[in-house]
Amino acid sequence: MRTTDGRLPGPEIWIRGPAPAPEPPPGPYAAPPGPRRFSWIGTHGGAGASTLTTVYGGHDCGRDWPGPDDPPSVLLVARTHASGLESVLRTLEVFRRGQAPAGLDLDAVVLVADAPGRLPRQLAQRVRLIDSVIDVYRVPWVQDWRLGDLSGTPPRETETLIRLTSTAARRVR
């Protein structure tokens, strides 16, 4: 059966041609989001949160919870001595019980060496306990940091921490 102008009937696309490509839906960002930012929280005095903020970037909360304008992604910081590891366990318990401020995202624990060399067995066992609950990043003893020189590159052993904090563009020792 032919149409009045003599053509065979067929799909509408033959008549009107291909449809234009649909516009992509608008995204939530005008531009792609930048690198993820973190709030460093020291679980005890002298944990090293300020040093890590200077070296790896992010926001230093000291020993306070992040404020409403601070990044909600949290990295807990502690030294690897007995009281430092105990303070991490207490802070992890606060998160486990849901007593941390709403909206915070606990990403990892960063343990900063309290002395050069290997950890004693008792402390290494506590680190393994923490690591069984959450990701743990270890920062070795850096003599330059002790002397106040934070201008060098981060230690090679912290490459995974560098990737996590989006500072991979830095050269590693």
Side-chain angles (χ1 to χ4, degrees):
M1 177 185 298
R2 294 191 180 264
T3 61
T4 56
D5 61 359
R7 294 182 299 166
L8 291 172
E12 187 179 333
I13 192 168
W14 291 354
I15 299 169
R16 63 178 169 81
E23 292 290 320
Y29 304 102
R36 188 167 186 189
R37 292 194 46 231
F38 291 92
S39 290
W40 300 87
I41 300 176
T43 61
H44 58 89
S50 297
T51 298
L52 295 176
T53 301
T54 301
V55 174
Y56 298 97
H59 176 75
D60 180 9
C61 290
R63 294 185 59 202
D64 296 324
W65 295 113
D69 295 329
D70 300 332
S73 297
V74 171
L75 296 172
L76 298 179
V77 183
R79 294 284 178 171
T80 55
H81 50 60
S83 62
L85 297 176
E86 213 37 59
S87 70
V88 167
L89 291 169
R90 282 193 305 272
T91 307
L92 289 174
E93 185 65 14
V94 168
F95 275 93
R96 188 188 72 76
R97 290 184 177 189
Q99 297 170 337
L104 294 184
D105 182 20
L106 177 58
D107 284 286
V109 169
V110 180
L111 298 177
V112 181
D114 67 312
R118 296 174 55 111
L119 285 178
R121 174 178 283 151
Q122 302 94 319
L123 298 178
Q125 289 172 340
R126 287 189 193 166
V127 170
R128 282 192 294 278
L129 172 65
I130 295 167
D131 194 34
S132 72
V133 176
I134 190 165
D135 290 335
V136 172
Y137 295 85
R138 302 277 304 270
V139 177
W141 179 261
V142 180
Q143 185 67 24
D144 289 345
W145 294 359
R146 185 178 197 204
L147 299 173
D149 181 8
L150 306 179
S151 63
T153 57
R156 179 182 334 260
E157 298 88 355
T158 65
E159 286 182 33
T160 56
L161 181 59
I162 292 169
R163 283 192 297 274
L164 175 72
T165 58
S166 300
T167 56
R170 293 184 175 180
R171 198 181 94 248
V172 183
R173 283 186 211 190

